[in-house]
Amino acid sequence: MATTTSQITPEIVEQHGLSPDEYERVLHALGREPNLVELGIFSVMWSEHCSYKSSRLHLKKLPTEAPWVICGPGENAGVIDIGDGQAAIFKMESHNHPSYIEPYQGAATGVGGILRDVFTMGARPVANANALRFGRPDHPKMQHLVKGVVAGIGGYGNCVGVPTVCGETNFHAAYDGNILVNAMTVGVADADKIFYSAATGVGNPIVYVGSKTGRDGIHGATMASADFEEDADAKRPTVQVGDPFTEKLLIEACLELMATDAIVAIQDMGAAGLTSSSVEMATNGKAGIRLDMNKVPCREEGMTPYEMMLSESQERMLMVLKPGKEAMAEAIFKKWELDFAVIGEVTDTRHMVLEFNGEVVCDIPLGPLAADAPEYDRPYLSKEEYTVWAGIQPVHGVPDSADPGADLLTMMASPQLASRRWNAEQYDSQVMGDTLQTGGDAGVVRVHGTKKALAISTDCTPRYVYADPYQGGKQAIAEAYRNLCAVGARPLAVTNCMNFANPQRPEIMAQFVHALEGMGDACRALDFPIVSGNVSLYNESKATGGGSAILPTPAIGGVGIIDNYDRMMTMGFKSAGDAIYMIAPEFWAKPDPTRSHLGKSLWLQIVHGRDEGRAPPVDLAAERGAGHIIRRLLEMDLLSAVHDLSDGGLAVALAEMALAGGIGAQVEANEAYTAAQWWFGEDQARYVLTVPEDKVDAFNRELAAGPEIPEAEMVGFHRIGTVGGDSLLGVSLSDLREAHQSFFRDWMEG
C-alpha cells in the first residue's frame, strides 16, 4: 500500500483538528499508522461539522415522527406528506464561517448546497428562505458583510431560478466576529419517487456528475468546526466558489435521470465533498466502496488523492446506478454539458478503498468513520447554574412609557425592527410564478397545478435563548408555529440550524442542551416534529478580542400546508371600520407580576438601553389553542387580517399591519396594564386579527359557541380598536413609514 506521505507527526495530527485521544482511536481502528490521505479523511469525517460528536447524544431526544412524516433526520433532507401523492422536502443548513471570510461566495455556496440537499432526493426546489445574524451596524466590517451576504444569496438563488420568499435579518454585537448565514430550501416531489442515499448492489457502478473537482474548499468542514483565531482572513482558500448556472443544469439533469429507473442511490457532495458523500452512501447501504482516483474529473493539474477527497468544489453529485444504465445516464449529463465519470463500484467489504496510479492509497473500515465516530457527553450547567452564570434577574425599577407613539417611532427606526425591503429587493421572489406571499408572517408558494400552498417561516429570538435556553428553545418553535397559523396554514414539521459557540465550555453546552429540551417539548405539544437539521458549533471569534461567543441561536424553519390558497391570510389592514381584536391567554384580564412582560424586550433595549430581565414564558397549551382558533376562524372566512405578536409587542404588530395595508387605526390601552406593558410587552401565544364590520356578529356567535379543543379554553379575545384613518398611536403613517425605511436606505446608500 502506498504511504503517499512522510510519517504522521503530532503537528500534522493537530493541523487536522484531531485530539491526541482521537488519533489513538484512529490507530486502533486501522491497527496501524494512517497515511496522509487516511488522516485527512478521518479528520473531516470526525469534524464537528460532519460527525456531530458533541451534539448527537442530545439530538436523539428530539421528536421526529408523525403520521405525515415520510423521512426524518438522517437523509439529505426531511420529507413530509402533503396529500394527493405529493411530498414536501426541506432542510436548513449553515454557512457561517465561510460567509464571514468571503461573504459573497460563502452565502452563495450555502444556497447552492442546500438546494442540492433537496433536489438530491428527487424534489424540484420551489422556495428558498434564510436566517441571517450580523454584528453592530457601526462595526467597520459589517456593511461589507451584509452587502456581500445579501448579494450572494440573491445572486445564486436568482440565477438558479428558485424564489426567495422569506427570511429574517438581525443585528447584535455578539455576532461582530462571527456572523450567521442559515439557508433553507423547500422542494416538492411525488411521494412515491423519493430518492435516498444508501449504496447497494455489489458491483454497481459509482458515478461522479456535475462540475470538475478543484482545490477550493479543502478543509472547509474542519474550518467550520473551529472558532476563529485572529487570522480569519487567511482561511479564504477554504471557502468554496459556486456557479449557479452549473447548478441549474445539474438540477435539470438529475431530475431528468430520476424520471428513469436508473438510480440506486444519490448523494450530493457537500461538506467534506467526495469523502462524506461516498462514506455516507456506503454506510447507509451497509456496503463497501472502491474508487479509482485517476478517474475523478479534475480542473487543476497534479491533484492528489488527498486534495480530491477533501475538496469542497461545488455543483457535484455522487450516484450509484443500476448496471447497464451508464450510457443512458452519461448521454443525459453530456446533453446538459456536465461532467460524467464512472469512478468506482459498490463492494461488500465495508471498507473505503481508494486506488491511484495502480496503488491502494487508502483502506479504511467504514464503521469507525461514520457510525462509530467519537460521541461526547460534554459537561454542562444545570438550568439553575446557568441562570446564575448568565446573571439573569427580573427587571428592577421597570420604567413606563410616557409617550407610546414616540417610543414606537424610535423602535421602528432601529436596526432590529427596520424594514428589510433593501434585502428583499435583491431577491427574486416571483420566479416560477407560484409565489403567493412574501414579507408577511410566512412566505407562501402555490403547489404548482393544485389549490394547495406551502407556508414557510424562519424564526428564533436569540436574546430569549441566552436569558433562558429552555424557554427560548420553546419560543423559537412556538413563533414558527404562530407564523404559519397566521397565514392560514396547518403547521406540519420543522427543520433547524443549531448555531452555538464552543461546546467544550459548560455554559455553552448548557445553552445547547436546554434549548434542545425546550424545542423538543414544544414540538411534542404542538404536533410539529423535527425532520431535518444542522448543527453549527464553535461560532465565536478571537479576532474581535477576548473571545466573543455568539448568542445561542437555534434557528427554526417551519413548513405548513394551506389546503386551499383562497383561504390564505395576509397581515395588512384591509378596510376602514374593521374591528381589531387581540387574541391571547386569559391573563390579559389582570396584570400578573410573575409574567415577564418586559424582560428581554426590544422596548427596554432600544428605548432605555437596558438588556435585562427574564425571557417571557411560553405556555404551549395556549399556543396550540390560539393557533387552532385562528385556523378555524380563517376556514369560516370571518377574518380580514392576522398577525402574530413577537418582537416589540402589540404596538409594533399594529404598526406593521398598518404599514402593510396603508391604513391607520384607532386603538385603546387596557387600564389594567402600564402603557409599557400593554403596548410593548412580548408575552407569547398572542395574535392581532381584524374582523370585517359585516362579520362581527357572526364572529361573536362563533366565540360564544365555545372551543372545539380543550386548549382553546385558555385563550381569550379582547377588542382593542377599529381600522381607519392615517395614524397610529398619534403618529402619522407617513412618519412611521419614513422611520421604518430609513435605516437600511441611509446605511446602504449613504
Side-chain angles (χ1 to χ4, degrees):
M1 175 169 168
T3 62
T4 73
T5 68
S6 57
Q7 187 176 10
I8 302 297
T9 66
E11 291 73 25
I12 292 173
V13 172
E14 185 180 1
Q15 288 166 9
H16 282 75
L18 293 171
S19 70
D21 285 347
E22 288 170 344
Y23 185 62
E24 284 299 318
R25 292 182 64 149
V26 172
L27 295 177
H28 179 75
L30 291 176
R32 57 176 171 79
E33 186 178 83
N35 62 36
L36 189 60
V37 176
E38 293 166 332
L39 183 72
I41 287 171
F42 270 104
S43 80
V44 292
M45 289 306 297
W46 285 7
S47 69
E48 199 75 64
H49 198 72
C50 292
S51 74
Y52 293 2
K53 58 192 174 189
S54 296
S55 57
R56 282 205 320 275
L57 182 70
H58 302 285
L59 293 171
K60 296 170 186 174
K61 303 171 187 175
L62 291 171
T64 60
E65 297 179 346
W68 52 90
V69 174
I70 296 172
C71 178
E75 276 290 342
N76 286 293
V79 187
I80 56 172
D81 189 333
I82 58 170
D84 307 310
Q86 293 179 304
I89 300 179
F90 59 98
K91 190 181 181 186
M92 181 185 273
E93 280 267 9
S94 62
H95 233 222
N96 305 333
H97 287 59
S99 298
Y100 183 80
I101 296 167
E102 216 307 304
Y104 184 94
Q105 289 297 346
T109 52
V111 174
I114 198 63
L115 283 164
R116 287 195 301 281
D117 276 339
V118 167
F119 75 74
T120 293
M121 297 194 71
R124 178 171 290 281
V126 298
N128 286 333
N130 56 70
L132 312 177
R133 299 291 187 303
F134 296 103
R136 294 164 295 147
D138 59 359
H139 185 281
K141 284 190 71 167
M142 214 49 59
Q143 189 190 72
H144 162 73
L145 289 170
V146 173
K147 284 184 173 180
V149 165
V150 171
I153 291 170
Y156 206 100
N158 298 354
C159 292
V160 172
V162 177
T164 298
V165 299
C166 65
E168 55 177 353
T169 302
N170 296 130
F171 297 90
H172 192 281
Y175 305 102
D176 278 357
N178 198 126
I179 64 174
L180 300 185
V181 175
N182 295 173
M184 177 179 173
T185 293
V186 181
V188 174
D190 291 339
D192 60 353
K193 292 180 182 174
I194 310 296
F195 289 82
Y196 298 100
S197 62
T200 57
V202 173
N204 280 350
I206 295 169
V207 173
Y208 171 119
V209 300
S211 291
K212 288 181 167 62
T213 293
R215 291 189 171 97
D216 52 325
I218 292 174
H219 282 299
T222 310
M223 180 264 292
S225 304
D227 57 18
F228 281 137
E229 302 293 333
E230 287 80 355
D231 61 344
D233 283 350
K235 294 181 177 178
R236 279 182 200 279
T238 62
V239 178
Q240 312 92 324
V241 177
D243 179 354
F245 298 105
T246 299
E247 180 109 340
K248 174 63 174 172
L249 300 177
L250 189 59
I251 292 173
E252 299 303 333
C254 286
L255 292 177
E256 183 173 337
L257 184 60
M258 286 167 170
T260 73
D261 65 346
I263 298 174
V264 174
I266 181 169
Q267 177 82 23
D268 93 286
M269 295 191 213
L274 188 51
T275 291
S276 64
S277 56
S278 56
V279 169
E280 288 167 12
M281 288 177 80
T283 302
N284 291 345
K286 297 181 171 59
I289 196 164
R290 184 194 67 81
L291 301 180
D292 181 348
M293 304 307 293
N294 291 93
K295 294 182 178 177
V296 174
C298 293
R299 68 167 181 260
E300 299 184 47
E301 291 292 323
M303 288 192 70
T304 65
Y306 178 94
E307 293 171 322
M308 291 180 221
M309 292 305 291
L310 271 59
S311 166
E312 293 184 6
S313 294
Q314 296 291 289
E315 294 88 39
R316 303 179 301 156
M317 312 283 277
L318 201 63
M319 298 182 183
V320 176
L321 299 183
K322 293 179 180 177
K325 301 291 186 180
E326 298 93 328
M328 177 194 70
E330 181 173 14
I332 290 173
F333 281 88
K334 293 298 184 187
K335 181 185 77 173
W336 290 100
E337 299 180 349
L338 296 166
D339 274 277
F340 177 99
V342 178
I343 64 169
E345 63 184 5
V346 178
T347 68
D348 60 3
T349 65
R350 298 215 180 178
H351 276 234
M352 168 186 268
V353 177
L354 308 180
E355 298 173 1
F356 185 62
N357 294 339
E359 293 185 298
V360 173
V361 295
C362 169
D363 187 345
I364 300 178
L366 286 164
L369 268 185
D372 301 331
E375 179 176 275
Y376 297 126
D377 187 358
R378 306 269 191 204
Y380 59 91
L381 304 181
S382 69
K383 292 186 179 76
E384 295 73 23
E385 290 169 335
Y386 177 82
T387 299
V388 172
W389 172 85
I392 303 302
Q393 302 276 344
V395 181
H396 294 294
V398 182
D400 198 8
S401 176
D403 187 343
D407 287 355
L408 177 61
L409 264 181
T410 299
M411 292 176 69
M412 295 298 279
S414 70
Q416 290 94 323
L417 290 168
S419 168
R420 272 50 176 158
R421 180 177 171 184
W422 182 87
N423 299 34
E425 286 178 344
Q426 297 184 60
Y427 307 147
D428 188 339
S429 64
Q430 302 304 314
V431 64
M432 299 180 82
D434 282 318
T435 302
L436 299 175
Q437 181 176 171
T438 65
D441 284 306
V444 183
V445 291
R446 180 172 32 221
V447 178
H448 197 75
T450 76
K451 290 296 288 184
K452 295 180 299 192
L454 291 169
I456 304 149
S457 179
T458 58
D459 297 285
C460 183
T461 311
R463 65 184 185 277
Y464 293 171
V465 189
Y466 181 85
D468 186 332
Y470 175 72
Q471 291 293 342
K474 286 203 301 186
Q475 192 274 340
I477 297 291
E479 187 172 350
Y481 184 88
R482 284 201 302 275
N483 281 331
L484 298 175
C485 292
V487 298
R490 186 171 72 255
L492 290 177
V494 166
T495 185
N496 63 65
C497 209
M498 304 292 290
N499 308 275
F500 290 78
N502 187 338
Q504 296 175 56
R505 294 163 54 188
E507 65 273 15
I508 301 300
M509 200 63 206
Q511 294 172 347
F512 182 85
V513 172
H514 301 317
L516 266 185
E517 182 187 351
M519 289 164 54
D521 284 353
C523 289
R524 278 181 282 269
L526 300 173
D527 287 335
F528 201 27
I530 293 177
V531 298
S532 61
N534 169 246
V535 176
S536 175
L537 301 177
Y538 296 95
N539 287 291
E540 54 187 78
S541 171
K542 296 182 179 65
T544 53
S548 166
I550 65 162
L551 295 180
T553 311
I556 301 301
V559 174
I561 187 76
I562 301 174
D563 295 322
N564 180 349
Y565 56 71
D566 290 338
R567 289 279 184 264
M568 179 188 76
M569 185 48 57
T570 57
M571 72 178 186
F573 287 150
K574 303 300 187 300
S575 302
D578 286 1
I580 307 172
Y581 288 83
M582 183 164 74
I583 174 173
E586 276 292 356
F587 74 84
W588 66 260
K590 61 180 180 179
D592 180 353
T594 67
R595 298 186 74 96
S596 182
H597 298 296
L598 292 167
K600 285 294 175 182
S601 69
L602 283 186
W603 176 80
L604 199 62
Q605 183 187 116
I606 295 167
V607 176
H608 293 280
R610 295 171 58 176
D611 183 8
E612 298 174 26
R614 295 179 175 143
V618 179
D619 185 327
L620 295 169
E623 293 283 3
R624 185 183 179 98
H628 174 82
I629 290 171
I630 290 292
R631 295 196 305 273
R632 180 175 163 201
L633 293 170
L634 287 172
E635 287 167 6
M636 299 181 71
D637 196 26
L638 292 175
L639 307 181
S640 50
V642 178
H643 190 19
D644 88 306
L645 270 66
S646 55
D647 286 346
L650 176 60
V652 169
L654 290 167
E656 290 170 344
M657 297 175 83
L659 291 174
I663 185 170
Q666 289 81 48
V667 288
E668 299 173 351
N670 183 321
E671 296 303 322
Y673 284 94
T674 68
Q677 287 175 333
W678 179 250
W679 295 117
F680 303 111
E682 294 182 10
D683 280 65
Q684 303 296 296
R686 303 193 299 170
Y687 299 79
V688 173
L689 51 87
T690 62
V691 183
E693 273 187 289
D694 60 353
K695 295 183 179 179
V696 170
D697 289 345
F699 173 80
N700 286 322
R701 282 196 301 273
E702 180 59 26
L703 297 187
E708 291 179 326
I709 64 171
E711 293 92 336
E713 294 180 1
M714 305 179 65
V715 178
F717 286 79
H718 185 60
R719 181 159 179 174
I720 61 173
T722 305
V723 175
D726 58 3
S727 66
L728 178 71
L729 294 179
V731 180
S732 72
L733 283 195
S734 59
D735 287 348
L736 262 182
R737 193 175 304 281
E738 170 60 22
H740 197 221
Q741 295 182 357
S742 61
F743 165 70
F744 264 103
R745 181 194 66 213
D746 296 347
W747 190 40
M748 290 302 174
E749 298 174 9

